[in-house]
Amino acid sequence: MRDVAASCLAEYASRGPRYTSYPPATEFGPLALDQVQDELTGIGERSEPFSLYLHVPFCRSLCWYCGCNVIATRDTDRGVAYLEQLTTEMAMLASYVRRAPVTEIAIGGGSPNFLEPHSLRAMIAAIDHSFAVAPDARRSIELDPRSTASAQIDVLAAGRFRSLSMGVQDFSEAVQEAIHRHQSKLQTQWLVDRARAAGFDDINVDVVYGLPLQTEASFRRTLDAVIALDPDRIALFGYAHLPSKLPHQRLVERAGRVLDRYERATLLVLAIDELTAAGYLHLGLDHFAKPDSRLARAAAERRMVRTFQGYAEHRADAVLGVGMSAISSTPRMHWQNHAELAPWQRDVADRILPVERGKRLDADDQVRRAIIGLLMCNGEVELGRVAADHGIDAVSYFAREIAEIAGLDALATYDAGDRAIRTTPLGRLLVRNVCMVFDRYQRTAGGLPGMAGAVQPTQFSSTI
Ligand code: SF4
């Protein structure tokens, strides 16, 4: 991405939602349980396909940069007890959705490989027993290369899991020390080779830029090592340093300062250059994929969607989450389970859906969600077409937004002919800023459009 200068990128960067959902999870609030029950019952009655997400919150140790909802423990018995409760929650969910088809299963965390092989096997059996899983359902899991055992890979392969995502973040020993995550290239290579040999055909590696002690030279070495692993996909995330929300992240600051936006932008542009030169296609905001990978094919066919896990192929309009802190999303509603273990356990034990908060989408939310989703996935949106699908006139309904896009001409343009918004090469990297124009909650919060002088909402990460 030589045509995008790092300095220019840094100048436009601000803070904003990652738009893994719209409205963002920061807008979730109290939600009556009967609304969730009605939504689930409707899915069952209409036999609406859905993706199933299971959250396993445990990790053997805490990485100091971590932004996930994690419980650090080495007591594997906790995994056994958790699985029992997870099975109960799945049975509860199944009583509503009945035989609606599951077209995708994703297990994330935390570290799902915290579960011993027999527990993983039991979890897969419980999924298949509880739900009508489609024969061609895609099955994916996150694994930690530092602690995955051969027997776990065998269990997953036998359970027809074929997609795998693993963290690398950075291979520099100094950076690993700073973030309290020691992971060798050998461990990582072992997991890639072992999974490939077991039949996994879709392997993703996560890399993070913006961490303390990262330099251009060290980050280039990390990228070279990641490319040498030959993954099908690479997710390149900017480190979200939010210590006021995640106090353990203060530990990251011990080793050195977190990179500023100019340094972040330099590493981002470097990574885009390196990864695209190695043959990866740059998809969406931060994903890279081999041209023949499943995700690249989905992107080419405009079937890529933005999910709570990042980008994925579209397999269903609804995602139902199971487990502590898991988020569910349907075309009409988002909701999240209790973020703490104890209330989640209590509700499951009482056979109550363990929902903590959520958001019912009104008509305005639904049209803005569609626009933001298309911008995040395709970098462009035919506003007229989306608006017509929702029974409104784009030009009058979005008059203010269209005018604001005109003021962001370095990032996006509006074509009055086909009533389309298209991001520029720079705007593609700052697509979150473009999306913020359509985010009515950012407008209310005064964080629009994330340009210099605007209020910078501190609950969000940097847009680069
Ligand atoms: S392994 Fe992943 S989920 Fe677990 S603490 Fe580290 S970053 Fe967080």
Side-chain angles (χ1 to χ4, degrees):
M1 182 102 357
R2 294 276 176 211
D3 50 349
V4 172
S7 58
C8 198
L9 193 51
E11 285 304 324
Y12 279 97
S14 65
R15 287 178 177 273
R18 297 182 67 84
Y19 293 116
T20 51
S21 72
Y22 181 82
T26 44
E27 299 303 323
F28 293 4
L31 190 66
L33 258 194
D34 56 0
Q35 292 190 332
V36 177
Q37 289 165 332
D38 289 349
E39 187 66 9
L40 291 172
T41 303
I43 287 173
E45 285 172 353
R46 292 186 296 274
S47 205
E48 206 172 301
F50 67 94
S51 299
L52 183 70
Y53 172 75
L54 286 89
H55 189 76
V56 179
F58 305 106
C59 288
R60 285 179 170 76
S61 69
L62 182 66
C63 309
W64 292 343
Y65 66 92
C66 182
C68 301
N69 204 320
V70 161
I71 297 168
T73 177
R74 290 183 174 272
D75 179 2
T76 51
D77 285 349
R78 295 186 72 178
V80 176
Y82 185 79
L83 177 59
E84 271 178 38
Q85 292 146 353
L86 212 55
T87 304
T88 304
E89 190 187 353
M90 282 195 272
M92 254 194 290
L93 196 58
S95 71
Y96 293 99
V97 301
R98 296 181 288 173
R99 305 311 286 167
V102 177
T103 51
E104 180 179 29
I105 298 164
I107 305 179
S111 302
N113 61 286
F114 181 86
L115 300 179
E116 305 270 16
H118 61 88
S119 292
L120 275 178
R121 190 180 296 111
M123 177 193 258
I124 297 166
I127 295 168
D128 285 318
H129 173 76
S130 304
F131 301 105
V133 182
D136 62 345
R138 195 73 196 165
R139 298 176 182 228
S140 64
I141 189 160
E142 295 170 9
L143 295 175
D144 185 339
R146 300 170 298 166
S147 53
T148 302
S150 222
Q152 291 173 312
I153 299 287
D154 289 336
V155 167
L156 292 166
R160 289 178 282 139
F161 279 72
R162 296 290 178 266
S163 291
L164 155 63
S165 183
M166 66 181 82
V168 163
Q169 325 315 357
D170 193 298
F171 275 128
S172 150
E173 280 180 30
V175 175
Q176 292 191 354
E177 181 71 26
I179 61 175
H180 197 237
R181 182 189 174 101
H182 297 277
Q183 176 176 329
S184 70
K185 289 179 199 162
L186 215 60
Q187 284 172 317
T188 316
Q189 184 73 61
W190 176 84
L191 181 54
V192 171
D193 293 344
R194 185 66 181 77
R196 288 258 189 250
F200 281 77
D201 58 10
D202 178 36
I203 296 182
N204 173 75
V205 168
D206 290 344
V207 179
V208 170
Y209 66 89
L211 297 168
L213 307 182
Q214 280 180 327
T215 64
E216 283 185 63
S218 76
F219 199 53
R220 185 176 276 116
R221 284 194 293 276
T222 288
L223 292 168
D224 289 345
V226 167
I227 290 165
L229 293 169
D230 199 27
D232 303 279
R233 295 181 281 129
I234 298 166
L236 174 72
F237 298 118
Y239 170 46
H241 190 60
L242 300 166
S244 54
K245 263 173 71 182
L246 303 162
H248 64 265
Q249 288 190 336
R250 293 238 177 269
L251 296 167
V252 168
E253 297 168 8
R254 282 183 181 177
R257 88 190 148 71
V258 172
L259 302 194
D260 66 28
R261 58 185 167 152
Y262 293 94
E263 293 163 320
R264 289 169 72 94
T266 302
L267 296 187
L268 173 58
V269 173
L270 167 73
I272 294 169
D273 283 345
E274 290 269 317
L275 297 178
T276 52
Y280 286 89
L281 300 179
H282 184 189
L283 308 178
L285 173 67
D286 47 20
H287 279 43
F288 297 80
K290 287 183 177 177
D292 60 350
S293 64
R294 305 180 65 85
L295 192 66
R297 287 202 300 274
E301 293 162 11
R302 299 272 159 128
R303 289 186 294 103
M304 193 167 78
V305 287
R306 184 84 172 149
T307 72
F308 292 105
Q309 279 79 50
Y311 288 100
E313 314 172 65
H314 177 260
R315 313 271 310 180
D317 289 340
V319 180
L320 300 183
V322 182
M324 179 194 114
S325 80
I327 300 180
S328 300
S329 177
T330 74
R332 301 154 293 269
M333 201 186 284
H334 302 307
W335 66 91
Q336 181 169 26
N337 281 356
H338 289 289
E340 300 291 328
L341 190 60
W344 176 80
Q345 285 175 318
R346 185 199 57 222
D347 278 3
V348 172
D350 292 345
R351 302 292 193 275
I352 296 169
L353 287 174
V355 176
E356 183 173 85
R357 61 190 190 130
K359 177 93 181 160
R360 178 183 267 285
L361 276 65
D362 63 20
D364 180 79
D365 289 328
Q366 291 180 24
V367 65
R368 291 176 189 275
R369 179 198 207 190
I371 290 167
I372 287 172
L374 289 165
L375 280 170
M376 290 298 294
C377 291
N378 305 335
E380 61 181 35
V381 57
E382 287 187 34
L383 211 52
R385 182 177 293 187
V386 175
D389 287 348
H390 289 261
I392 56 175
D393 174 69
V395 176
S396 54
Y397 196 87
F398 291 115
R400 181 159 60 171
E401 287 81 357
I402 289 169
E404 284 170 358
I405 290 291
L408 289 178
D409 56 351
L411 304 186
T413 58
Y414 175 68
D415 183 332
D418 58 2
R419 291 180 291 169
I421 291 171
R422 297 191 172 86
T423 52
T424 62
L426 178 65
R428 187 171 169 209
L429 300 182
L430 291 161
V431 65
R432 291 161 64 187
N433 292 62
V434 180
C435 291
M436 284 163 75
V437 171
F438 287 91
D439 182 341
R440 84 167 136 119
Y441 302 96
Q442 291 307 301
R443 190 177 299 285
T444 316
L448 243 184
M451 310 298 287
V455 176
Q456 304 273 298
T458 52
Q459 75 267 40
F460 297 122
S461 59
S462 169
T463 53
I464 59 158

